[in-house]
Amino acid sequence: MRPVPFLLCAALVISCHPAKDSRKPDQVAPSEVVAALVRKHGEGQRARIEQGLRQVALLWRKEDGDAKALQAFAEEWFVADPAGLDALLGRFEYVLEQVDGYFLDLGREMRSFSELELGPQMAIDDLFAGLDLSAHASDDFFGSKLAFIALLNFPLPTLDEMLAQGKSWSRRDWSAVRLTRRFALRPSGDALLARSKAQADAEAYIAGYNLWMHHVLAPGGKRIFPAGMRLLAHWNLRDQIKADYAEKDRTLGLDRQRLIRAAMERIVDQSIPKAVIDDPRVDWDPQANAVTLSPPGEVETEKMKAQGKRAAQPSAANEREPDTRYAVILADFHAARRTDQDSPLAPTEIDRRFNFDREIPEKRAEELLQSIVTSPLVPRVAALIRARLNRPLEPHDVWYSGFLPRARHPEEELNALTRARYPAAAAYKKDIPRLLEGLGFAAQRARFFDSHIVVDPARGSGHALQSARRGDDPHLRTRINPDGMDYKGYNIAVHEMGHNVEQICSLYLVDHTLLSGVPATAFTEALAFTFQNRDLELLGLEKPDPQSERLRVLNDFWATWEIAGVGLVDLEVWRYMYAHPQATPAELREATLRIARDLWDLRYAKVLGGKGSGLLAIYSHMVANFLYLPDYPIGHLIAFQLEEKLRGADFGAQFERAASFGRVTPDLWMEHATGSPLSAKPLLDATAAALDAERG
């Protein structure tokens, strides 16, 4: 790799945000240090010396030493010999894999009692979950000068330079870039601990945000959901809307969907009564927003005890939840701001998420989402859905799933099948080799991946927890009820299994562990979607044909249109918080509702009605994650391009080839995997063709 020019963006950041005295030494000009090193190593090393010292000075603080200490450090640790540089890079690669891996393992174990169904929880479990033992690792790497050794010897390119030059870099060059970029930010241990605690608190809040649907009443006090149905917001509520498109009694299915939509709107605007959250002893009519005590004979007492629900007396009070949702989001924001002052290269969470995590410029990511939200294909697809439903569309139809084969199978049928097949986590674990072979992995490879996947029963919605060290294994977590895994849990498990296989490929099969992973979260989501899209096929219910392939395309477009709006809302909410850092929970609530409703009225109400709906702000990711939701629509676009390349008999081999390429920039990864850079065009073109074929 050629020496990377001085980081102009860093210089601009520093000039706009003057450093405090504690940020850098001020006794001796850096030119004196450069001159000393050039005398020692020769004029041929000048460019590397200047670059390395600029990178070090960017993050060097007063507590790291004065200018003489900086010069002594540079003279001791600058490596001029190419063989010595390669050896230094290799040592960093080995040690960082161990550090990351063991810290991840410790955190997973400390959160296990909060995240897994391991019996009743104790109050101390949340304290363990909120403790991040790795929080001071960054401080330790800088304090020991290890981080500065990396910055002194290897180039730290800007995102623009990576996008322009990355295609010409070797794998070794990319490994060096990944090493320095992990030290491009210098968050304090206190900042990392604050972030970890905020996230743990948010996840605990969301994990307990359930509605007992037998007690969510339709107008007139009618119960239209079965006893014992406990749905987590937003995941299970959304998935129930999707499932009810297959309900044989179409009137019942529509009534259920309208009822869930009303409940969702109450959650978003925080008019939901506090008493109805996760309590089956209280009945609630969300349309009238009326609360009453449930008759004793209707209360699922045994299920409530099994879930470890509270024993306090139920309340029929109509007191609303006191903006807790938005207080938690603000806690995320304030925790993120603790990192801002330590990140001259990325002084906001928005910068860090786009320029470092996604490595897609914010403007380009927003344009990708807008290209879907504003597509003229939306009304054409909406007209097709309207004809299939034989009724005007309503706001909950943003989650229409009738294009998918599962729409032909009632939820009860699918639940019976999955519960019988997977009564416990161990049963799903035992079936993983068969599932992977069904997707197209060779038997030997299926056994290899199975040997590295641990299956856990989750308290909340399922997720995949990666490993970061060869020798440790990723965990697949899915929600399994006492009567077995329902279809929602199975659908999630297949998705998370896709994450796990990607995680194994991108750790065990990548050539440099400094490159382990994929370019961004959206890419692992995309790879997981390629598994999830075939869940019914793995149950033996469906096989793809030309008609089902067209419907798959239409489903992908509609789902991407929905989640693109959600991602835009999440981005605008974070922009609002940075513009109004002193906002109260009530002010954030009003701002979020305004953002969601304005986008709905501009782009969604035209085909779905429901002027002023806040549904685009229902996603729990807005609460439990930090500006995560744009990853989903980007993931859909990536997944569609991958599907076109991966589907077929060699799915397994193509999946491995893509997933083991490592963490390079998104376009470079996509060109390797599919032959083309990331774009919305393949999905838009395929949707137009599918609509033409359906019309024909």
Side-chain angles (χ1 to χ4, degrees), residues 229-261:
M229 180 180 282
R230 178 173 173 253
L231 300 184
L232 182 69
H234 79 283
W235 291 277
N236 295 157
L237 293 174
R238 175 204 60 192
D239 290 346
Q240 185 61 44
I241 286 176
K242 292 183 176 182
D244 278 322
Y245 286 106
E247 172 59 49
K248 292 180 180 178
D249 184 339
R250 300 188 69 175
T251 300
L252 174 62
L254 184 57
D255 287 345
R256 286 177 171 176
Q257 291 170 330
R258 288 169 172 166
L259 197 57
I260 292 175
R261 175 214 165 181

Side-chain angles (χ1 to χ4, degrees), residues 418-577:
T418 57
R419 284 168 180 156
R421 185 170 294 186
Y422 307 117
Y428 187 89
K429 166 64 178 173
K430 185 177 181 180
D431 203 30
I432 286 177
R434 182 194 68 82
L435 293 170
L436 293 177
E437 288 185 49
L439 287 166
F441 289 91
Q444 181 183 7
R445 303 306 289 165
R447 291 193 297 273
F448 165 75
F449 290 119
D450 172 57
S451 70
H452 287 289
I453 297 175
V454 179
V455 180
D456 298 322
R459 288 192 189 275
S461 180
H463 64 278
L465 186 59
Q466 70 185 87
S467 57
R469 172 183 59 84
R470 295 177 182 182
D472 188 25
D473 294 326
H475 287 235
L476 189 161
R477 292 177 167 178
T478 188
R479 193 166 184 167
I480 299 180
N481 298 319
D483 56 351
M485 182 187 287
D486 61 18
Y487 173 71
K488 294 184 184 71
Y490 164 77
N491 177 262
I492 291 171
V494 174
H495 179 92
E496 305 308 331
M497 184 172 66
H499 283 305
N500 288 147
V501 174
E502 173 270 305
Q503 290 159 357
I504 295 165
C505 289
S506 61
L507 174 62
Y508 281 85
L509 305 184
V510 73
D511 51 353
H512 291 274
T513 56
L514 281 170
L515 291 175
S516 64
V518 290
T521 304
F523 285 76
T524 188
E525 292 296 343
L527 289 163
F529 286 140
T530 66
F531 276 50
Q532 188 177 11
N533 290 342
R534 297 173 63 183
D535 65 333
L536 291 188
E537 183 180 340
L538 295 175
L539 284 175
L541 296 178
E542 303 291 340
K543 286 287 186 181
D545 56 37
Q547 169 72 2
S548 67
E549 283 300 302
R550 288 196 297 272
L551 295 180
R552 177 187 66 83
V553 170
L554 295 173
N555 177 78
D556 286 350
F557 174 81
W558 194 252
T560 307
W561 177 65
E562 176 259 330
I563 199 64
V566 172
L568 289 170
V569 168
D570 196 19
L571 176 57
E572 285 299 327
V573 168
W574 275 84
R575 287 171 173 168
Y576 169 84
M577 290 191 290

Side-chain angles (χ1 to χ4, degrees), residues 652-674:
Q654 290 294 340
F655 188 100
E656 286 189 40
R657 178 178 175 274
S660 61
F661 193 54
R663 193 173 177 217
V664 295
T665 50
D667 281 341
L668 188 57
W669 192 95
M670 287 296 290
E671 288 174 10
H672 169 80
T674 71

Side-chain angles (χ1 to χ4, degrees), residues 197-213:
K197 184 180 185 305
Q199 185 144 18
D201 290 347
E203 288 174 351
Y205 169 73
I206 288 299
Y209 213 105
N210 295 276
L211 294 180
W212 293 74
M213 300 308 295

